[in-house]
Amino acid sequence: MKLQSRQVNGNGFSYPVELHEDLNGLKEKLASLKDVSKFFIITNRQIAGIYEKYLFAELKSLSIPFHIIYVKPGEKNKHIDRLKKVYHELVKEDADRKAVIVAFGGGVIGDFAGFVASTYQRGIRFVQVPTTLLACVDSSVGGKVAVNLDLGKNMVGAFFQPEFVYAPLFALSTLPRREWSCGLAEIVKHAFLEGGELLNRLESTSRKDFHSGAEVLRYCIDESVRFKSSVVEQDEREGGLRAILNLGHTTGHAIESVTKYAKYSHGEAVSMGLMTALLLSKSVLGFSETNIERAVKMMKALELPLKINEKINEIIEHMDHDKKKEGSTLKFVLLEDFGKPKFGVSVGRDKILEVLKFQKGWDLLGR
Ligand code: NAD
Ligand code: GLY
């Protein structure tokens, strides 16, 4: 059953992002695509192991042939070296320009399969079926597709919009608990950037409510999609405004990198990075202490980590490698207030050092 639908209307593209209860309905969406020669589902065996039977039920009742391509799970496999095998499988399975790729999985699958679609025979159509909370609220919307190099994440990519996004809510029931943090951190990011009702709603929501209450989950997914779409519609290619979506990510990436992507999930690192961004906002743009208190309370209730435990110098060193570096200052997305972001704000190392030291020694329980 379709629960919600949002249309993303950008410069030269328009597609729906639909939230469904389950996969029952995917067949109709796929059948609505014109002139398709074959569907190629890109997924991994972890996800297929649980959902393949539902997917097959939809695909088998279509009169169009399909083929499943399995890739290995995990960020390390969203790698340029993994592309060739998939391109070869497409050729062997007669994928022509009318073939359609279906990305069935989380953000790793979505980014990778989307990149394959953007390059195979100079671009074929693709569809996103996100199965993680992060993919539902963030990565499936907006058309950023990419693979990693050994020398950096998402270093080779494209802006390539899907034909539609079909998010089956039931898939979240099997999502490991830690993976929820990734999606929740991005929802919180959207709430900080927009302020208003989404923020108010999150302030009265605990982690438990997300796991037990479908209504708040649906609301937050829909609002996140609405907010992200509104940004992408104005600035698909990150000429300016879209940069606000990097709130919290400069520090988040540095923490992930310092801890070799092993200690924290991406969401946990972004969560700490969001708090760094708010503390820097206070120091640089006069973001209020009351807002910091509100954010701390909210993120604690959502069980998102705030305190930094790593070596501060190492974090700053990794920030220096960040692509947003310019001259001797680092640039951040900061907030004047909730709902009032500023991107490209230069911050000196002394300020960053001061804030990170504070965040490391923070007595959160005492607040
Ligand atoms: P992920 O895709 O690695 O999925 C997390 C894990 O959960 C994987 O092991 C996966 O196999 C498993 N999984 C997926 N769905 C499941 C389900 N329903 N039940 C049980 N297990 C399931 O992680 P993610 O957080 O979804 O995505 C992270 C990626 O997204 C990163 O590569 C990041 O760069 C990218 N990203 C892209 C954008 C964008 O705009 N394109 C935005 C944010 C993040
Ligand atoms: N997740 C950042 C973006 O889509 O721009």
Side-chain angles (χ1 to χ4, degrees):
M1 189 173 75
K2 181 152 75 181
L3 303 168
Q4 255 121 17
S5 181
R6 296 261 169 207
Q7 196 70 19
V8 189
N9 294 308
N11 191 3
F13 61 88
S14 178
Y15 57 91
V17 180
E18 295 187 356
L19 183 60
H20 287 251
E21 210 147 75
D22 48 32
L23 286 173
N24 203 339
L26 181 61
K27 178 183 67 187
E28 282 75 23
K29 284 303 295 177
L30 292 174
S32 72
L33 298 174
K34 303 264 177 304
D35 209 10
V36 177
S37 57
K38 192 166 177 176
F39 287 110
F40 289 86
I41 291 78
I42 299 187
T43 189
N44 69 42
R45 289 193 189 275
Q46 252 175 17
I47 303 163
I50 316 171
Y51 294 103
E52 209 166 53
K53 56 178 181 287
Y54 304 103
L55 186 63
F56 277 1
E58 293 298 298
L59 291 166
K60 277 184 178 152
S61 54
L62 276 173
S63 54
I64 301 162
F66 67 89
H67 175 79
I68 314 252
I69 297 178
Y70 297 102
V71 292
K72 291 192 174 136
E75 184 67 38
K76 70 174 187 299
N77 292 304
K78 198 183 100 178
H79 194 277
I80 193 157
D81 290 350
R82 298 275 182 261
L83 287 170
K84 195 159 130 188
K85 188 169 168 286
V86 174
Y87 292 138
H88 283 178
E89 194 164 339
L90 286 168
V91 175
K92 280 184 196 147
E93 289 292 328
D94 301 323
D96 59 16
R97 298 223 4 96
K98 291 176 178 174
V100 171
I101 286 178
V102 179
F104 189 72
V108 162
I109 295 279
D111 281 14
F112 182 88
F115 184 76
V116 169
S118 74
T119 45
Y120 183 75
Q121 296 203 9
R122 298 189 185 83
I124 58 173
R125 290 171 290 174
F126 92 114
V127 162
Q128 291 265 21
V129 184
T131 64
T132 64
L133 184 57
L134 176 130
C136 289
V137 300
D138 193 353
S139 62
S140 67
V141 180
K144 275 191 181 176
V145 297
V147 292
N148 304 332
L149 299 178
D150 292 336
L151 296 178
K153 260 187 83 164
N154 298 328
M155 293 302 277
V156 181
F159 293 97
F160 196 69
Q161 304 292 340
E163 297 301 302
F164 62 80
V165 181
Y166 182 111
L169 201 58
F170 82 147
L172 302 185
S173 64
T174 56
L175 196 62
R177 206 178 154 77
R178 217 166 165 202
E179 297 300 336
W180 279 79
S181 301
C182 298
L184 287 174
E186 302 296 350
I187 293 172
V188 167
K189 176 190 81 179
H190 291 151
F192 287 170
L193 288 169
E194 194 179 45
E197 202 39 51
L198 177 58
L199 184 68
N200 293 341
R201 184 72 188 266
L202 279 180
E203 282 191 283
S204 57
T205 306
S206 70
R207 176 76 170 237
K208 194 162 53 63
D209 299 327
F210 268 99
H211 292 299
S212 59
E215 208 281 315
V216 69
L217 179 62
R218 266 160 57 174
Y219 174 82
C220 288
I221 294 176
D222 186 46
E223 283 296 294
S224 274
V225 169
R226 180 190 53 70
F227 175 71
K228 180 159 183 187
S229 303
S230 73
V231 173
V232 171
E233 284 170 352
Q234 294 172 70
D235 177 24
E236 182 200 14
R237 290 177 179 242
E238 204 166 314
L241 180 72
R242 188 167 177 165
I244 63 171
L245 299 175
N246 295 323
L247 182 73
H249 284 61
T250 304
T251 314
H253 286 154
I255 293 172
E256 278 185 292
S257 184
V258 167
T259 53
K260 307 213 167 3
Y261 297 87
K263 186 168 172 187
Y264 303 110
S265 71
H266 175 67
E268 287 164 344
V270 167
S271 168
M272 296 176 231
L274 283 172
M275 192 42 72
T276 312
L278 297 195
L279 292 168
L280 281 173
S281 299
K282 182 178 164 215
S283 171
V284 179
L285 298 178
F287 187 77
S288 76
E289 178 62 26
T290 318
N291 280 345
I292 300 271
E293 298 280 352
R294 283 173 69 189
V296 169
K297 194 161 168 258
M298 181 178 116
M299 291 171 79
K300 280 170 80 176
L302 293 173
E303 298 175 24
L304 293 171
L306 303 173
K307 192 170 164 172
I308 285 181
N309 300 304
E310 324 321 314
K311 290 196 176 121
I312 305 301
N313 286 342
E314 286 185 13
I315 295 177
I316 294 184
E317 241 170 65
H318 278 80
M319 281 178 181
D320 278 333
H321 291 293
D322 195 281
K323 58 184 176 228
K324 286 157 217 83
K325 186 188 153 193
E326 220 173 75
S328 64
T329 58
L330 284 157
K331 302 226 168 174
F332 284 80
V333 181
L334 299 181
L335 300 179
E336 288 175 322
D337 195 354
F338 288 130
K340 282 196 176 168
K342 278 186 86 168
F343 57 87
V345 183
S346 290
V347 184
R349 274 170 189 65
D350 49 339
K351 276 250 152 69
I352 303 170
L353 195 66
E354 188 185 294
V355 158
L356 289 175
K357 267 189 188 158
F358 173 75
Q359 200 175 349
K360 188 169 175 172
W362 212 2
D363 176 15
L364 286 167
L365 293 174
R367 290 177 71 91

